[in-house]
Amino acid sequence: EFLHSNNSSDNWLSCAAKENPNVARGNGHWIQYDLGYVYPITSSHVWNYNVQGQTGNGFKDVVIDYSLDGINWIELGQFTFLEADGSAFYSGSVGPNFGDVKVTYILLTALNNYGNTTCFGLAEFKFDVGEDVIIGIDETQDNFDVSLFPNPAINILKVQVDNVEVQEMVLRNGAGYEMS
């Protein structure tokens, strides 16, 4: 079991509302995680703002959104994070279950906190990655050449593969979406 300190430098605090990456959420206090790749997320664990005498800054009601591209957001749901106890032995609480949804971005938006203060904080948010992130290759071929042109491409991309028989090819953009 991981304990979280009650040192203010081990906690995140926002005292100025900012424009949310999900335009539907407007201005507020939020945290966005960029995983850099598409991962299936399962369970999570929350350590709320854990500074002694200031736990009222902790996120209370939270909307969690996720996205593959950082532009189009899907709401996972609205959740209540438990208030921290301010001790050096704070173990946090079980967070929302993501149910193996595939994400690149996770966005936590605080709707309110435990003290009606202008500052909103969180110590840590941990999420677990599912097991199907390993990309398998049935057979490997050492000597083959792939050419993509034109580069950059707008509507048509030509793919030329030499020295190997291609049975199936899937092209994905940087956000993980399959290109057709």
Side-chain angles (χ1 to χ4, degrees):
E1 187 172 307
F2 180 73
L3 301 179
H4 212 285
S5 86
N6 58 359
N7 186 323
S8 62
S9 64
D10 292 334
N11 290 262
W12 172 87
L13 188 65
S14 166
C15 294
K18 293 185 180 173
E19 184 178 347
N20 196 299
N22 181 350
V23 295
R25 304 276 175 238
N27 289 341
H29 302 274
W30 50 269
I31 300 172
Q32 177 180 300
Y33 298 90
D34 179 350
L35 308 180
Y37 187 75
V38 178
Y39 292 101
I41 304 300
T42 58
S43 57
S44 66
H45 197 91
V46 177
W47 291 267
N48 216 332
Y49 193 75
N50 190 44
V51 176
Q52 190 171 17
Q54 298 178 30
T55 60
N57 290 330
F59 282 25
K60 184 177 181 184
D61 296 313
V62 179
V63 176
I64 299 180
D65 298 303
Y66 61 92
S67 174
L68 291 172
D69 59 10
I71 298 167
N72 300 297
W73 295 94
I74 299 168
E75 183 176 318
L76 179 69
Q78 202 170 56
F79 305 91
T80 300
F81 290 177
L82 298 178
E83 186 173 6
D85 61 17
S87 77
F89 304 102
Y90 174 53
S91 60
S93 59
V94 173
N97 188 323
F98 283 71
D100 257 349
V101 296
K102 292 182 175 37
V103 308
T104 301
Y105 300 90
I106 297 174
L107 179 62
L108 309 178
T109 303
L111 300 177
N112 52 32
N113 61 23
Y114 279 93
N116 287 329
T117 66
T118 57
C119 295
F120 289 70
L122 194 67
E124 187 172 345
F125 186 72
K126 179 187 136 214
F127 35 86
D128 297 315
V129 175
E131 295 181 18
D132 63 346
V133 296
I134 298 171
I135 298 172
I137 300 173
D138 292 335
E139 295 181 31
T140 59
Q141 175 88 23
D142 290 334
N143 298 320
F144 66 94
D145 296 316
V146 177
S147 299
L148 304 172
F149 53 93
N151 185 10
I154 295 173
N155 292 321
I156 297 175
L157 175 68
K158 295 183 181 182
V159 179
Q160 180 177 333
V161 181
D162 295 329
N163 301 329
V164 68
E165 180 183 335
V166 177
Q167 293 178 347
E168 180 179 1
M169 181 180 298
V170 177
L171 296 176
R172 297 186 187 278
N173 65 15
Y177 289 110
E178 190 171 313
M179 305 300 291
S180 55

